[in-house]
Amino acid sequence: MKKLGIIILSIILLTGCGKEVTNEVFSLNYNNLKINLNEEFTRTKFGDELEYSETENCAFEGIGKTYKYDHYEIATYTEDNQEKIMSIYFLDSDIKTSEGLTIGDDITKMEELYGQDYKLENDVYIYEKSNTQLKIIAQNGTIISIEYVLEEK
Amino acid sequence: MQKFKILGIILLFITLLLVFQRLVEPKYMRSLVEGAMIGEYYDEAKNHEVIFLGDCEVYANISPMVLYEEAGITSYVRGTSQQLIWQSYYLLKETLKYEIPKVVVFNVNSLRYDKPVSEAYNRLTLDKMKWSKEKIDAIQASMTPEENFLSYVFPILRYHSRITELTAEDWQYFTSKRQITYNGFLINKKVKAVTTFPSKRKLAKSEFSDNVYHYLDLIRELCAENNITLVLMKAPSLYPYWYQEYEENVLNYAQKYHLDYYNFQKVSTEIGLDYNTDTYDGGLHLNLNGATKLSKYMANILKTNYDLQDLRLDTKIKAIYDEKLNKYKEEINK
C-alpha cells in the first residue's frame, strides 16, 4: 500500500498532474513594434491614430477606447489609472500575425502555423496561451477575421 | 436554562450575521442604480396594460410616463443592464404571477448573446428579484462557470470583502431606499453626440443560437397561453452594431409566428431623433430628450394597433398616474 502511494506520488510529481504550466502569451510583432496584450497603451509607442472612438459601459463605470491605425485597431481598458491593451483587431490582409497568418489565408495554413489545439466556439477558432487568445473566423475555409484578445476583458 | 442560553447565543449570532450581510450587500441607491430596478416593480400597483422586457435599450429608451400622458397607456419596463433572454423569460413568468398585461414588448438586442456573459451584470438583474421558483431558475440559467448558487442565497458569501469598501451609501440606505426609476424608466439628461464607433467585427455565425430561439419560443408560448400579444422591437441605438443578418433572423421569426416587429433604427428620422442631441453616450442609449421622442412614437403605435384602453378615463388609475406624472415632471425639469 505504502509502495503504491509512493508510485502514485512520483507519477504526479513527474507529470505535474498532467497540466503544463506556461507563462507564454500571444503577442504581435508588426513594423518593428512588439505589441503585448495587457501592456500599457501610449501614443508615444503607437503614434497618432487615424480614428479614435469611445464606448461607455452599460451601468458600470469605465470607457472602452479604440484606436484605429492603418491595418489594425487597438482596444483598451483602464485598470488602476493605467490604460492597457485589451485587443488587437486586424483590419485587412496587409498585416500578419507574428507567425505569419493573415486575412485571406486558409484554415490549413492556420493549422500548420498554430496546430489543431484550438477551441471551436460558435464557429470561432480560439487558440489560448495563458490569459491571451487568438481568435480566428473563417468562411468556407478562408480566414476573414483575426483578433488577439485578453481573456475575460 | 442552559438550553435557552445556547438558543439565545445562536439567535444573536444569526442576527449579527444578517446585519453584517445587509451592511455589505450593494444597496444600488447611488452607485450602480441599475441594480435596484427589478426590486422597484414589487412596490407598484399592478395595473399595466403593457410590459417591456429587455436590456438597457428599453429602460433608457422607453418612458412609461410619456406613454400614459400621450395615450393613457399604463406600462412598466422590466428591463435591466445586459438582460439576457432567459432572464427576460423568467422575469415575464414572474410578472404574470402579479398581473396579465395585454401586450408584452420584447427588445431583441439580447438575441445576440447565447450564454451567460458576466457575473456583474447577472447581479444587477437577479440580486433584487424576489425569491420564487422563477428566481431560482433564472439564477441557474444565468450563472457563469465561476459563480455558485449559494452566493445568491447568502449574499454575504459574495460581498463580505466589501466591508473594507463601505461608503456613506451603505449606511444611509441600510434600512431605507429611494425611488430610482419611473415605472422602470431611468432618466438620463446628459448629452453626448455620436462621433465614431469601433470597426464592425466580422460575424462568425449569422444565425442566433438554438438556446436563444428556445427562450424566444418560451416567451412567445407563455404570451399565447395568457392571451397576451407579443411585440418585438429594436431600439434605435447605433452601437453595438445590429447586423443585417440579425435583422433578417428577427424578421423571419416574426413572419413565421405572425408577430409584429418594429425596428426603430430604420425610422429614426421619422421619430425625429437627432443623434447629436438625443443620446447621452454617443449613440448607445437615448437621453431623456430622445427617449421622449421615441416614447411618443411608440405611444402612437400601441394606441393605433393594439386593443388598449385610454386609462386616463379611469379615475382610480388617473389618480395614481397624476401623482407619478407630477413627480416625473419635477425630476425632468430639475
Side-chain angles (χ1 to χ4, degrees), chain A residues 6 14 18 27-28 37-38 49-50 54 87-88 95 100 105 120 123 126 138 143 153:
Chain A
I6 292 169
L14 285 170
S27 57
L28 172 68
L37 291 167
N38 222 15
E49 66 278 0
L50 297 174
E54 286 181 356
S87 71
I88 310 159
I95 181 168
D105 286 343
L120 191 58
D123 292 352
I126 304 173
I143 290 164
K153 284 288 173 199

Side-chain angles (χ1 to χ4, degrees), chain A residues 76 95 137:
Chain A
T76 67
I95 181 168
I137 300 174

Side-chain angles (χ1 to χ4, degrees), chain A residues 51-60 66 68 73 87 89 91 121-124 137 144-145 147 152, chain B residues 32 34 56 59 81 114-115 120-121 124 192 196-202 204-205 239 281 284-285:
Chain A
E51 211 172 272
Y52 168 73
S53 55
E54 286 181 356
T55 50
E56 286 184 26
N57 286 327
C58 201
F60 292 93
T66 311
K68 190 174 180 176
E73 193 173 75
S87 71
Y89 181 68
L91 295 173
E121 242 177 51
N122 284 328
D123 292 352
V124 182
I137 300 174
I144 58 165
S145 169
E147 186 170 28
E152 288 172 15
Chain B
L32 276 180
E34 290 81 353
C56 49
Y59 74 66
S81 301
D114 81 319
K115 60 178 186 180
Y121 281 112
L124 295 184
K192 187 177 174 188
T196 53
F197 295 116
S199 301
K200 206 172 193 172
R201 303 296 197 252
K202 292 274 193 310
K205 234 180 174 177
Y239 188 85
D281 53 7
L284 280 74
H285 306 93

Side-chain angles (χ1 to χ4, degrees), chain B residues 106-120:
Chain B
F106 173 67
N107 186 67
V108 295
N109 188 48
S110 64
L111 299 181
R112 66 177 84 221
Y113 302 107
D114 81 319
K115 60 178 186 180
V117 181
S118 132
E119 190 250 2

